[in-house]
Amino acid sequence: MNGRLNAYSHERWAIILAGGDGSRLMPLCRRITGCSVPKQFCPIFGRTTLLGQTRRRVSLLVPPTRILTVVNRAHEPLYSPLLKDIPADNLVVQPQNRGTAAAILCALRRLSELNPRASVAVFPSDHFVHNDDVFMAHVDLAFHSVSERPGLILLLGMTPDRAESAYGWIEPDEPIGLGGEVARVRRFWEKPPPQVALQLWKHGCLWNTFVMIGKLTTFITLTIRALPELASAFSRPFGPPDAPEHKEELKRLYACLPDSNFSDEVLARNPNRLGVLRVAGVYWNDLGEPQRVFETLARTKARPAWLRRRVATSIASDRVVRRATAPDTAHDDRRV
């Protein structure tokens, strides 16, 4: 699969979702950076932020000029330095966070103006991937597969190594026959109980990475079917993205939008239009909680600067405690 990575297609685009608030990981990000930073803007595993790592990974397959990044206006001081090199059309700025369905629709509407014939891959910006080349080779295979089946949306399903109950799972159905390990989706299981997760693991089910590949028109069609009112709200043009009237129109729109989840409200309602591609040979982790960060650090043996500081502080504190609790031998009557 690696041989295809440099064969860029003019119809291939990508959307990176970077507008979340990351509240569960905020305390750890505050410890790393000294301020309240959403995890996608935090350099957890080195000097590069999770968003920067995602952009670098995606650019192995999709040129930066065809990558749209969805952000939240409240995070402007954080994303502006990181994204100052991208064209204005490629930055999709939401007035506020209204969930993944609104974020994806907003980006799809922008993409429909730039290239209505596009195929598009959607990526979260808060995941860890070890072996970017192999991961993106699977995305490449998914692009080829949806070109053969344009009415299909393919999800990347990670081969699990444990019965993780805090992840979403995909239960595959019969093979589709597109090459690789591509199957139809029978059912989604969102954070199943531990005993159910164990059965899913034993029966060959996959972790849902929420990385999706499909034709732009297919994404829009499925969203209209599942969320017609939300899709209608994004159907009208808003003008150039840097125009003041564009910002005001989006602000009014988002003020009335409910929170919505693309996985639950679009994908889960259209399983017959979905396929799943099994991914192997990659270590992947959804960094939704602090323990997953430390699990990834242990698995990869990474020692970022903030972790070394944390260990040094812990050792120093331990020494202080030992000194404070040691016997005061200076006034011990047993000494001569």
Side-chain angles (χ1 to χ4, degrees):
M1 287 188 290
N2 284 343
R4 297 176 179 173
L5 287 181
N6 292 323
Y8 288 174
S9 165
H10 291 294
E11 303 300 329
R12 291 185 179 184
W13 288 70
I15 294 170
I16 297 176
L17 303 175
D21 299 315
S23 55
R24 287 181 296 170
L25 215 62
M26 189 71 74
L28 178 60
C29 294
R30 190 179 301 116
R31 173 174 288 183
I32 294 171
T33 65
C35 55
S36 297
V37 177
K39 55 188 171 179
Q40 63 269 29
F41 304 116
C42 187
I44 296 177
F45 298 105
R47 296 183 178 181
T48 307
T49 64
L50 292 180
L51 174 56
Q53 291 175 353
T54 305
R55 292 182 67 206
R56 183 174 60 200
R57 181 183 313 123
V58 174
S59 66
L60 292 174
L61 187 62
V62 180
T65 54
R66 295 203 293 274
I67 299 174
L68 305 184
T69 303
V70 185
V71 293
N72 183 340
R73 175 71 68 187
H75 302 152
E76 186 172 8
L78 301 171
Y79 67 71
S80 288
L82 300 174
L83 303 175
K84 60 184 179 181
D85 58 327
I86 73 173
D89 282 345
N90 292 47
L91 188 62
V92 181
V93 182
Q94 301 180 103
Q96 53 189 300
N97 181 15
R98 289 301 193 193
T100 51
I104 291 172
L105 264 175
C106 196
L108 293 176
R109 182 198 54 76
R110 177 72 58 81
L111 181 54
S112 67
E113 298 171 355
L114 298 172
N115 188 340
R117 299 176 56 191
S119 295
V120 59
V122 179
F123 299 86
S125 62
D126 57 353
H127 293 176
F128 178 86
V129 174
H130 191 264
N131 204 335
D132 286 349
D133 287 336
V134 174
F135 187 84
M136 293 307 297
H138 283 84
V139 177
D140 184 41
L141 177 59
F143 269 120
H144 282 277
S145 297
V146 298
S147 68
E148 297 178 27
R149 296 283 186 91
L152 195 68
I153 289 178
L154 273 184
L155 295 103
L156 297 195
M158 192 61 55
T159 302
D161 58 12
R162 63 187 184 277
E164 175 62 66
S165 61
Y167 283 163
W169 290 70
I170 299 172
E171 182 180 352
D173 208 332
E174 74 276 1
I176 296 178
L178 289 172
E181 296 193 51
V182 181
R184 293 196 179 277
V185 172
R186 177 177 295 172
R187 182 177 173 181
F188 290 94
W189 297 80
E190 185 60 29
K191 297 182 180 179
Q195 64 274 18
V196 175
L198 181 60
Q199 293 302 312
L200 295 173
W201 184 28
K202 289 180 177 179
H203 286 86
C205 296
L206 306 168
W207 287 337
N208 186 3
T209 66
F210 201 60
V211 174
M212 307 170 283
I213 301 91
K215 298 290 290 183
L216 168 65
T217 52
T218 306
F219 273 106
I220 293 175
T221 299
L222 262 61
T223 307
I224 291 173
R225 179 184 300 174
L227 297 171
E229 292 184 4
L230 185 66
S232 176
F234 282 96
S235 63
R236 59 185 181 275
F238 297 109
D242 53 353
E245 57 271 21
H246 170 91
K247 298 177 182 178
E248 286 302 315
E249 184 67 22
L250 269 186
K251 186 176 179 180
R252 286 192 293 269
L253 170 61
Y254 270 72
C256 304
L257 290 183
D259 288 349
S260 51
N261 183 290
F262 195 85
S263 184
D264 294 340
E265 300 180 60
V266 178
L267 298 181
R269 296 178 183 179
N270 293 278
N272 60 318
R273 300 291 297 275
L274 307 177
V276 57
L277 171 62
R278 180 184 294 270
V279 178
V282 176
Y283 173 63
W284 168 90
N285 210 340
D286 179 348
L287 304 175
E289 299 173 354
Q291 65 263 30
R292 294 182 193 163
V293 172
F294 290 105
E295 171 193 301
T296 299
L297 290 169
R299 181 78 171 261
T300 60
K301 296 181 171 57
R303 301 282 291 177
W306 68 266
L307 182 62
R308 296 195 297 271
R309 291 195 305 268
R310 183 174 183 267
V311 171
T313 301
S314 177
I315 293 173
S317 299
D318 185 55
R319 287 173 179 168
V320 170
V321 171
R322 287 203 305 270
R323 286 199 298 268
T325 57
D328 188 358
T329 56
H331 295 87
D332 192 336
D333 291 337
R334 291 173 294 179
R335 296 194 63 190
V336 177

